[in-house]
Amino acid sequence: MNSDPSRLLMPRSQEGLARLIDREGLDDGRIAAAFRAIDRRVFVPSRFHRVAYEDRPVGIPADQTTSQPSLIARMIDAARVPAEGRVLEIGTGYGYQTALLARLCREVYSVERHRELAERAEANLLAAGIDNATVKVGDGWAGWPEHAPYDAIVVSAAASEVPGALREQLAEGGRLVIPVAEVGSDNVYLCEKTGGETKIVRLLTPARFVPLVRGAPE
Ligand code: SAH
């Protein structure tokens, strides 16, 4: 049994989860609307359906996790996804954040290292009625140069440094949100490209992520 007392206050419905996101005080009001529109239950394994609306990470196959919803919300908010824009996501997982991003912009491209997860994410996105997100199996360290530049890039796994390919593939004025593994914790940074250079603007929050692994899956 899980004895964590915060469980008692956890949302039990999609609307409850959306209300929790309402209370995050985000700049972009479209984000809570995206949480209302996308059912997280579709994007977690069936054995976790019971806890799908709780604000916590949930395990998915290949020893990965789908991120905590409020953290996803804050990262997407910081990325300032433009309605007419093109977004790159690194680390698709089961596709929940992909679906949320797809509600907010015109096109989403998402790179996932594990084929098993990428295929499942595609099926989940289809089930959720999302038709403007494309998933590929690949190494996120290389980004997805064919569709660059991107107005926003959101990375869902902790890198050892900000990958050069992602810095390059960002559009001028675009924003990159990325967790970096540092001593003691992972830190989520907001970067922005100005004058042709992608620089760190500020630290958003410490958080825990799975590592952004280098190279193709074994
Ligand atoms: N965005 C997802 C997060 C999934 S966890 C969600 O919110 O549900 C992070 C994902 O990053 C995992 O699925 C993992 O397989 C993937 N990943 C790790 N290293 C990667 C790499 N180098 N390239 C692409 N994906 C990677």
Side-chain angles (χ1 to χ4, degrees):
M1 280 306 285
N2 187 336
S3 59
D4 176 357
S6 67
R7 267 182 70 81
L8 301 173
L9 304 173
M10 282 289 180
R12 290 283 187 273
S13 66
Q14 196 184 334
E15 176 56 26
L17 176 59
R19 284 209 197 108
L20 182 143
I21 302 301
D22 282 334
R23 294 194 296 271
E24 285 290 317
L26 305 176
D27 291 332
D28 186 348
R30 299 175 308 148
I31 295 176
F35 275 85
R36 280 201 164 76
I38 301 295
D39 187 352
R40 192 179 187 224
R41 205 165 178 271
V42 174
F43 295 92
V44 302
S46 50
R47 70 195 169 99
F48 291 124
H49 278 174
R50 202 172 39 86
V51 295
Y53 306 117
E54 298 190 2
D55 188 31
R56 58 174 82 239
V58 169
I60 56 176
D63 278 333
Q64 305 299 319
T65 56
T66 172
S67 308
Q68 182 179 12
S70 58
L71 178 60
I72 292 179
R74 282 184 287 146
M75 288 175 67
I76 296 180
D77 193 43
R80 268 200 212 141
V81 174
E84 293 306 315
R86 186 183 291 176
V87 174
L88 175 66
E89 177 190 47
I90 304 297
T92 321
Y94 255 31
Y96 182 51
Q97 178 178 269
T98 324
L100 294 166
L101 288 168
R103 295 283 305 184
L104 298 172
C105 69
R106 187 153 41 177
E107 304 175 293
V108 179
Y109 294 92
S110 186
V111 183
E112 168 56 52
R113 191 169 167 271
H114 287 281
R115 179 169 301 279
E116 174 193 5
L117 299 179
E119 285 174 356
R120 185 56 194 254
E122 279 181 334
N124 292 344
L125 289 163
L126 196 68
I130 300 292
D131 62 3
N132 59 333
T134 314
V135 179
K136 81 161 179 176
V137 180
D139 179 6
W141 279 93
W144 194 337
E146 289 80 1
H147 303 289
Y150 300 97
D151 302 294
I153 301 178
V154 181
V155 183
S156 300
S160 51
E161 62 187 286
V162 183
L166 302 187
R167 299 203 312 253
E168 274 167 30
Q169 290 168 30
L170 197 59
E172 181 66 20
R175 290 179 150 210
L176 161 64
V177 177
I178 179 167
V180 177
E182 294 182 309
V183 181
S185 83
D186 302 330
N187 287 315
V188 184
Y189 288 102
L190 168 65
C191 308
E192 199 166 342
K193 190 167 194 170
T194 47
E197 250 191 275
T198 302
K199 292 188 194 129
I200 291 178
V201 177
R202 69 187 160 92
L203 169 66
L204 286 179
T205 179
R208 281 187 63 84
F209 281 87
V210 297
L212 186 71
V213 179
R214 282 186 195 263
E218 50 293 322

